[in-house]
Amino acid sequence: MKLNKLLERLEYDVVQGTDEAEVTTLVNDSRKVEDGSVFVCISGAVSDGHRFAADVAAKGAAAVVVEKDVEVPEDVTVIRVPDTRYALALMSAAYFGYPAEKLKIIGITGTKGKTTTTYMIRSILEGVGHKVGLIGTIEAIIGDEKIPAANTTPESFTIHQYFARMVEEGCDSVVMEVSSQGLMLHRTAGIPFEIGIFTNLGKDHIGPNEHKDFEDYKRCKAMLFQQCRLGIANVDDKYFHDIFKNATCKVETFGFSKDADLRAENVQLVSRPGYLGVAYHVAGLMDFDVEIDIPGTFSVYNSLTAIAVCRHFGVPVEKIKEALKKAKVKGRIEMIKVSDEFTLMIDYAHNAMSLESLLTTLKEYHPKRLVCLFGCGGNRSKDRRYEMGEVSGRLADLTIITSDNPRFEEPQAIIDDIKTGIGRTDGKYVEICDRKEAIKYAIQHGQPGDVIVLAGKGHEDYQEIKGVKYPMDERVLIAEVLEELKEG
C-alpha cells in the first residue's frame, strides 16, 4: 500500500524521500520492523522510539514517522507530524480499512463502574440479537475469543486490529472502556464514537506516570465528549458540569436527581441468605420496575447507564429486565454460593476508595457481621496499605489480612504495613499469610447473616511472586476449601 494512503487524514511534512513510497506493515515496536515497514517513533514513558530510527532503517524500514529530528539513510522516507501518537491512531485506522466506521461504538469513561457497565450493555444487546465486541480492563471479546488485557484501553494499533477482526466476525457494535490515559495518549483519536458515557469522577490516577493533577485528569476524561455523537452522563456527579462544559455532542442524563432524563426512584435493597440485590423504578424517558442481582447504589447507576444506552438501540423493556437480572461480571461483587446461612463474594476492590465504596454498600444491608479478607500488592505505594487497613478496620467487623501479589517484597512486610493502618482504628483482625488458608478460615468461621468479601484479586487468576505469575483463582480455592471441609 502507498504511504500517503495511510497519511490521508493527517497533516504532515515530507522531510526526505516521498509519501508515494510503497510500505508493507505499520509498526511502532522496533523489534517488529521488516522490509518495507513504516515505523512510527513514539516518545514513551520508558523509551523514545526516535532513538531506534537508524536501527529500523538498517532492518529495512521504508519510512519513519517522527515528531523530532532523526538521522537515517537517504533512501528512507521521513515524515514529520506534530504528534506521533495521534498519527499512529489515524494511520492504524487507515491501515485496517477504517473498521470503526462499520461499527456502532460505545465508549465508557469514569473512575468507577466502567467494567460492570460494559458487560451489562453487552449482555442486553446480545440478548436481542446484536453481535457485540468488547474491549476493557479484564479482556477483549471478539466472537468466541477472549484476549486477556494488558491495559484498560490498548494501543491504537491494537484497537483498530480488534475492530477489523470484530467486523470479520460479524459484530455490528462494540462497547469499550475508555481510560483517561487512553484519551491523553491519543489511543482513541479518530474513533467515531456513536455514544460516549460518563459514569463518575474520583481522585484516582494522579501521579508521576499518569496525570500531573486532577485538572489534567478531568480534561482528559472530557475529550471523549468532543468525539461522540451522543453523550450519556451521570448528572449526580459533582464534576458533571466540568466534564461537559466544552462538549460538542448531544447530551442526555441519568441519576437520582429530579433533573435527570432517566431516573431511579423507590430504591430498595433486597437481601436473602446467600443473595444481595437491589430493586428500583425507572422513571423519566422510560417507565418500569427492575431488579438486579448485584447489591448497592452503584449497581443502580451502572444499570441505569446500560438502560440509557439500550434505549437508543430500541431494546424492548422485557429484554432489558431479563438481561439485567442475569448480568454478572467476573470478580465484581461476584457472589459465590457456599452456604444457605451467609453470603460470600469476590471483588476486585484493590485501593482505599474502591474498598470504602464496597464496604459502605455492604453495610447498608445490615449484615450480622461484615468480614473483609484482603492483602495488598508488593512494590506499590505503602500509603495504599495503610489506607486500606484503616478503611477495613473502620468498616468491617473482622478483617482477615492475607497475601495478594507480593511481587518482590516479603508478604509479611506488606501485612505489617496493613496492620499499621488497622492500628489507627479499633477494628478486630486476624492475619493468615497463605491466601487459601485465609479463605478456609473465613468460610469455617462464617456465621448466620454474615457477609464475607474476598477483596483485591477479583478477576485475576494468578499470584505474582518474585517475577513469576503462579496460577491462583479464588473460585478454585473456594471449591478446594469446600471439598476439604466436606472430607474433614
Side-chain angles (χ1 to χ4, degrees):
M1 88 183 56
K2 284 211 180 331
L3 178 57
N4 55 14
K5 174 78 182 127
L6 296 183
L7 297 165
E8 65 188 3
R9 294 190 182 177
L10 285 164
E11 287 183 12
Y12 60 91
D13 293 314
V14 181
V15 177
Q16 121 180 356
T18 171
D19 63 358
E20 293 276 332
E22 280 289 335
V23 292
T24 51
T25 59
L26 171 67
V27 283
N28 65 304
D29 179 339
S30 59
R31 293 164 299 188
K32 293 181 180 169
V33 168
E34 51 191 60
D35 258 354
S37 292
V38 49
F39 176 69
V40 183
C41 301
I42 302 285
S43 309
V46 182
S47 68
D48 184 347
H50 293 80
R51 289 201 347 251
F52 303 107
D55 294 353
V56 299
K59 281 184 175 177
V64 290
V65 178
V66 301
E67 59 190 20
K68 41 195 178 193
D69 294 338
V70 294
E71 281 190 28
V72 291
E74 281 174 17
D75 61 339
V76 177
T77 293
V78 179
I79 301 290
R80 188 162 187 148
V81 294
D83 186 318
T84 50
R85 281 192 179 279
Y86 183 80
L88 178 65
L90 272 61
M91 290 173 77
S92 298
Y95 183 75
F96 288 104
Y98 301 106
E101 292 171 14
K102 302 174 185 122
L103 297 159
K104 279 193 166 175
I105 299 170
I106 302 156
I108 304 184
T109 199
T111 305
K112 297 199 304 266
K114 294 190 295 294
T115 303
T116 304
T117 308
T118 50
Y119 282 87
M120 280 183 169
I121 292 169
R122 181 172 182 269
S123 168
I124 299 172
L125 293 179
E126 292 246 309
V128 293
H130 287 277
K131 194 154 186 194
V132 186
L134 182 144
I135 300 174
T137 304
I138 300 177
E139 62 200 354
I141 303 176
I142 304 170
D144 296 326
E145 190 184 353
K146 296 186 173 186
I147 305 158
N151 297 318
T152 296
T153 307
E155 190 49 85
S156 55
F157 182 87
T158 307
I159 292 176
H160 289 282
Q161 189 176 33
Y162 286 169
F163 286 167
R165 288 181 50 198
M166 286 170 186
V167 170
E168 271 171 36
E169 282 286 332
C171 291
D172 56 51
S173 41
V174 183
V175 58
M176 66 182 286
E177 295 182 48
V178 181
S179 66
S180 52
Q181 286 283 93
L183 288 158
M184 178 174 78
L185 301 174
H186 299 308
R187 289 177 188 158
T188 51
I191 296 174
F193 288 98
E194 178 71 14
I195 299 177
I197 293 163
F198 168 65
T199 60
N200 50 56
L201 201 58
K203 288 185 166 55
D204 198 11
H205 303 293
I206 315 296
N209 295 329
E210 297 187 85
H211 296 281
K212 64 178 190 292
D213 54 29
F214 190 61
E215 283 309 308
D216 185 56
Y217 184 42
K218 271 196 304 198
R219 181 187 64 76
C220 290
K221 289 280 185 208
M223 287 164 71
L224 179 60
F225 304 101
Q226 292 163 10
Q227 204 183 321
C228 62
R229 192 187 60 75
L230 169 69
I232 294 179
N234 174 1
V235 75
D236 298 343
D237 191 86
K238 65 177 173 183
Y239 300 109
F240 161 69
H241 293 291
D242 290 5
I243 296 288
F244 281 84
K245 64 176 183 239
N246 297 317
T248 54
C249 57
K250 186 171 170 260
V251 181
E252 214 176 80
T253 59
F254 64 88
F256 288 84
S257 160
K258 285 196 282 293
D259 303 331
D261 298 317
L262 194 71
R263 295 187 300 283
E265 295 178 348
N266 308 331
V267 176
Q268 289 165 323
L269 304 179
V270 184
S271 170
R272 299 187 284 279
Y275 173 87
L276 301 177
V278 64
Y280 64 95
H281 181 73
V282 181
L285 292 170
M286 296 183 88
D287 181 24
F288 61 94
D289 293 321
V290 66
E291 184 176 324
I292 298 137
D293 293 4
I294 308 170
T297 309
F298 56 82
S299 293
V300 177
Y301 279 114
N302 293 343
S303 54
L304 263 184
T305 316
I307 292 165
V309 170
C310 293
R311 190 178 82 83
H312 286 277
F313 281 79
V315 181
V317 166
E318 282 315 307
K319 289 287 183 188
I320 290 179
K321 289 168 73 159
E322 211 175 283
L324 284 176
K325 195 88 185 82
K326 291 193 297 227
K328 295 272 188 301
V329 185
K330 189 178 181 186
R332 308 293 157 118
I333 309 201
E334 179 186 351
M335 282 181 270
I336 309 282
K337 183 78 177 188
V338 297
S339 163
D340 290 331
E341 298 195 313
F342 58 84
T343 306
L344 175 85
M345 64 185 68
I346 294 174
D347 192 82
Y348 186 51
H350 61 291
N351 58 31
M353 182 172 134
S354 53
L355 191 65
E356 175 135 18
S357 167
L358 173 67
L359 297 181
T360 305
T361 290
L362 297 175
K363 275 184 96 68
E364 290 171 1
Y365 286 82
H366 304 296
K368 180 169 188 294
R369 290 185 314 163
L370 180 54
V371 179
C372 177
L373 176 151
F374 78 98
C376 285
N379 303 101
R380 297 290 185 270
S381 160
K382 283 189 170 222
D383 286 346
R384 178 178 283 192
R385 301 167 195 176
Y386 306 144
E387 289 164 5
M388 285 182 75
E390 195 168 335
V391 164
S392 190
R394 184 162 43 82
L395 294 172
D397 297 294
L398 173 66
T399 301
I400 302 171
I401 314 172
T402 186
S403 187
D404 191 298
N405 293 322
R407 297 188 177 91
F408 289 95
E409 285 192 66
E410 283 307 315
Q412 191 58 48
I414 300 172
I415 286 172
D416 290 343
D417 285 338
I418 296 170
K419 278 161 43 182
T420 301
I422 291 188
R424 297 170 185 167
T425 71
D426 53 8
K428 288 200 204 62
Y429 70 88
V430 294
E431 55 178 294
I432 303 168
C433 190
D434 181 284
R435 199 163 182 113
K436 181 177 170 182
E437 287 305 312
I439 291 171
K440 189 172 189 173
Y441 178 90
I443 291 173
Q444 256 180 321
H445 293 83
Q447 296 173 15
D450 281 357
V451 170
I452 302 168
V453 59
L454 315 182
K457 295 297 289 172
H459 59 274
E460 291 179 356
D461 55 7
Y462 63 84
Q463 187 171 38
E464 193 178 331
I465 303 168
K466 300 206 175 349
V468 180
K469 287 185 175 181
Y470 296 93
M472 189 186 83
D473 184 323
E474 288 191 316
R475 292 148 208 79
V476 175
L477 297 186
I478 291 166
E480 288 173 0
V481 163
L482 292 176
E483 198 53 43
E484 286 166 21
L485 292 176
K486 204 163 75 185
E487 286 167 5

